[in-house]
Amino acid sequence: MNERKTGKPGLAWPGLGGWNLYFLAKFILVWLGYLNFQAVPNLVFAAALLLPVSSALLLPRKLLALPAGVALLYHDTWLPPFARLLAQPGVLDFSAEYLLELAGRFIDWTLIGVLFVFVVAALYLSRWLRLTTFTLVGLGWLASGGLADMAGQPAVAAVAREQPRHAIPASPGREADSATLDEYLQRFYGDEAGRRTEFQPPPAAAAPFDLLLVNICSLAWDDLEAVGMKDNALFRQMDIVFDHFNSATSYSGPAAIRLLRASCGQSSHSGLYDHAANQCLLFDNLRRLGFDSALALNHDGKFDDFLGEVRRQGGMPAPALDGSSFRRALVNFDGSPIWRDREVLERWWQHRQGQDSGRVALLYNTVTLHDGNRLVRADGGTQRVDYRALAQRLLEDLNAFIDQLERSGRRVVLVIVPEHGAGLHGDRMQIAGMREIPSPSITHVPVGIKLIGMGSAARDEPLHVGAPSSYLALSEIIARLSMMAAVDDGAGIDRHALVADLPQTAPVAENAGTVVLEYGGMSYVRIQEQGEWLPYPHRSQ
């Protein structure tokens, strides 16, 4: 029933046998949107399985078919090339507990249930139907786009986003081709190369203030919404909030470098590791205005050489505090200690108040929200802790620190600027918590500015910046503050003048070898430098 003679002795056309279930399951996954199905490789694989061979070659074909089928299935997913996953910073340093946790995220029990029902139904019907015929018809149909037509929509959906400021709009409902997107990206970086913030010496009468940049790992608007904390007390008390701030990367080291080089336009990822002009370095500009630079962390900075990168590429000094005196509050995914934000910030503020300097600029980096962190129990052991609990603790610590700053009577500009999001939802291209691809849900981060002790007029809510923005806008606000910081005469800071005509930056994000941009109302991703652009898919959960 499953074989047909070729006319030559000993050779027959085989059916696909158990491989029917493999291909038919793929049809279900395509229908549900889990696969970016590649028709030609699947047709070639099916042909290789159907090709009549001598009995001596049957076993070698079976042995080769299994790894080939697994590789082809991975190729058909939205996941990035396996080499890109291994290239994620420090992946070989992950603890065993964290690796086990990540492995569990690949399992979708609802999908497994659907596939189980499908397999049972296919096995039952195989008693009467020749499944190979249905499989080949299905492969041919997919190759011609039939299944997408039947579904009434494209098999690949794109995320609709706000139109980039500099983009040439694509025709509505049509995807841009790779050549157009390559040209747009090059034009974007060319335009950005000529942009910079001009820092002018402050007026003689201007009162000094401290600038505190709180750089938070793994906090995006999407994450706050996922845990029901998008409306929170910390951001409600901000004076200015950026609604569409792009972190431009999904990794900590590059994000910190981009912040430290905020005074020039957005660089490509590779450009972050080139020598930066002095006028691009935010803290160098501040030093010329009389600010002393300071650095503090709630971790040791060793993972992926974060501390080394910040000092080499951003011109930062050594950390102001010795971490060995702090108690562990959390254990990082690589086993290193994490200290309580409130304890570190309060200790640094005590250190600051003992200094004679009139102006200090601090970069504080926290990894409290990083994926895979474990809570330290009273007995010294550790346990899993969910993101919401960690986010609640971090926000409470920052609120308490703001109260301390306000009680001090000093003039302080506090800037909350996350590195990137946590990727709590995940999507079809990467599981939850993995940030190899800087998708819009990861790079769209909440940025807030709080003016403390600067005579700001009473207000009911923050002033929102709705334009697409990035680090250059922050640098511009800081430069304006140095000029606008009034004497303590009660006049306060004009927030509307502070944010008027800020530089806008189109949403482009990049990691090593991966770029995501928005063009014509759609998001696109390119996995390799010379690769093709694909519409970025909707998240799957």
Side-chain angles (χ1 to χ4, degrees):
M1 179 177 176
N2 291 327
E3 296 184 347
R4 190 173 297 241
K5 295 294 184 181
T6 63
K8 295 182 179 181
L11 294 180
W13 287 96
L16 288 172
W19 287 102
N20 280 301
L21 297 179
Y22 171 86
F23 287 108
L24 293 173
K26 275 191 173 184
F27 298 163
I28 298 296
L29 292 173
V30 172
W31 180 264
L32 295 175
Y34 282 88
L35 293 185
N36 181 28
F37 188 80
Q38 307 294 307
V40 172
N42 280 274
L43 287 170
V44 171
F45 185 50
L49 294 172
L50 289 170
L51 188 68
V53 296
S54 64
S55 57
L57 295 177
L58 287 176
L59 181 59
R61 179 165 69 179
K62 289 180 180 179
L63 294 177
L64 290 174
L66 184 59
V70 172
L72 181 57
L73 176 60
Y74 189 89
H75 178 70
D76 279 338
T77 68
W78 289 103
L79 297 172
F82 196 68
R84 293 298 314 154
L85 293 179
L86 292 179
Q88 179 158 296
V91 67
L92 299 181
D93 296 326
F94 291 170
S95 66
E97 295 90 346
Y98 186 45
L99 289 173
L100 184 62
E101 182 181 338
L102 291 176
R105 297 179 193 174
F106 279 98
I107 302 174
D108 184 332
W109 292 108
T110 300
L111 178 61
I112 289 175
V114 170
L115 291 176
F116 175 74
V117 171
F118 165 75
V119 168
V120 171
L123 290 173
Y124 181 77
L125 293 174
S126 66
R127 297 185 299 169
W128 301 286
L129 301 176
R130 183 175 171 82
L131 294 183
T132 297
T133 300
F134 286 92
T135 298
L136 295 178
V137 170
L139 285 171
W141 196 1
L142 277 177
S144 62
L147 188 58
D149 293 339
M150 178 176 166
Q153 58 185 11
V156 179
V159 180
R161 297 285 177 180
E162 183 178 339
Q163 174 71 20
R165 183 172 68 95
H166 298 300
I168 301 172
S171 300
R174 296 181 59 185
E175 297 174 8
D177 58 33
S178 290
T180 299
L181 296 174
D182 284 337
E183 179 184 355
Y184 171 72
L185 182 63
Q186 292 304 313
R187 187 168 63 251
F188 169 81
Y189 282 134
D191 292 343
E192 290 295 302
R195 306 174 77 193
R196 58 180 42 87
T197 303
E198 297 295 335
F199 282 79
Q200 301 294 332
F209 64 91
D210 290 339
L211 173 67
L212 311 185
L213 298 175
V214 178
N215 200 207
I216 303 174
C217 176
S218 303
L219 181 68
W221 285 116
D222 189 72
D223 303 319
L224 289 173
E225 184 174 9
V227 296
M229 297 175 62
K230 192 170 184 179
D231 180 25
N232 60 78
L234 178 65
F235 281 92
R236 281 199 304 270
Q237 68 171 305
M238 293 290 111
D239 289 286
I240 298 169
V241 171
F242 286 83
D243 293 330
H244 296 285
F245 191 96
N246 176 33
S247 71
T249 183
S250 57
Y251 283 159
S252 296
I257 296 172
R258 290 188 183 280
L259 175 58
L260 292 170
R261 298 186 177 190
S263 298
C264 283
Q266 184 170 321
S267 162
S268 66
H269 177 82
S270 61
L272 296 176
Y273 301 93
D274 295 337
H275 176 74
N278 289 339
Q279 62 265 35
C280 295
L281 298 177
L282 176 61
F283 277 68
D284 270 12
N285 287 319
L286 292 170
R287 276 191 285 269
R288 285 190 285 273
L289 300 183
F291 285 83
D292 290 338
S293 298
L295 174 66
L297 318 169
N298 79 329
H299 55 103
D300 60 20
K302 294 179 180 179
F303 181 76
D304 201 35
D305 195 26
F306 176 86
L307 181 57
E309 284 196 352
V310 166
R311 298 193 64 190
R312 286 191 303 272
Q313 308 302 336
M316 296 301 293
L321 303 175
D322 180 8
S324 62
S325 62
F326 294 110
R327 297 171 299 172
R328 293 187 312 164
L330 301 164
V331 172
N332 209 340
F333 58 91
D334 64 346
S336 60
I338 298 174
W339 310 302
R340 182 78 184 254
D341 291 290
R342 182 183 302 182
E343 186 177 357
V344 178
L345 287 169
E346 288 181 351
R347 182 87 59 86
W348 180 84
W349 187 241
Q350 293 171 2
H351 169 76
R352 162 66 187 113
Q353 291 181 306
Q355 294 177 305
D356 295 330
S357 174
R359 295 177 176 88
V360 171
L362 168 74
L363 174 66
Y364 174 70
N365 183 265
T366 170
V367 297
T368 293
L369 301 182
H370 197 290
D371 192 53
N373 289 347
R374 298 177 66 85
L375 184 69
V376 177
R377 299 194 304 263
D379 62 2
T382 65
Q383 66 185 51
R384 289 186 61 181
V385 56
D386 63 35
Y387 183 91
R388 178 180 172 81
L390 291 177
Q392 188 67 45
R393 172 188 282 196
L394 174 62
L395 297 185
E396 289 175 355
D397 284 358
L398 292 176
N399 279 322
F401 182 55
I402 289 175
D403 290 342
Q404 183 182 20
L405 295 176
E406 291 177 332
R407 290 194 304 269
S408 73
R410 300 183 71 95
R411 297 161 59 83
V412 179
V413 175
L414 179 71
V415 181
I416 307 293
V417 51
E419 299 173 348
H420 51 71
L424 291 182
H425 281 115
D427 55 41
R428 295 176 188 170
M429 298 199 80
Q430 52 194 354
I431 62 172
M434 300 299 285
R435 295 174 278 99
E436 170 61 26
I437 300 173
S439 65
S441 63
I442 294 175
T443 59
H444 179 205
V445 298
V447 170
I449 299 175
K450 176 74 172 176
L451 306 175
I452 300 171
M454 302 182 76
S456 299
R459 82 290 183 280
D460 295 327
E461 61 182 21
L463 181 62
H464 289 265
V465 178
S469 309
S470 197
Y471 302 101
L472 190 64
L474 276 185
S475 176
E476 179 66 25
I477 284 182
I478 293 169
R480 292 178 184 182
L481 277 168
S482 69
M483 298 292 294
M484 297 169 60
V487 183
D488 291 324
D489 57 4
I493 299 294
D494 184 345
R495 293 185 301 153
H496 291 277
L498 196 60
V499 302
D501 299 319
L502 287 174
Q504 299 181 26
T505 303
V508 174
E510 184 176 3
N511 289 339
T514 306
V515 185
V516 177
L517 59 79
E518 298 182 21
Y519 183 91
M522 298 176 66
S523 295
Y524 295 86
V525 58
R526 188 183 69 187
I527 301 297
Q528 298 174 347
E529 186 171 350
Q530 303 302 323
E532 295 294 311
W533 291 89
L534 294 172
Y536 200 92
H538 286 295
R539 69 183 182 214
S540 59
Q541 51 188 5

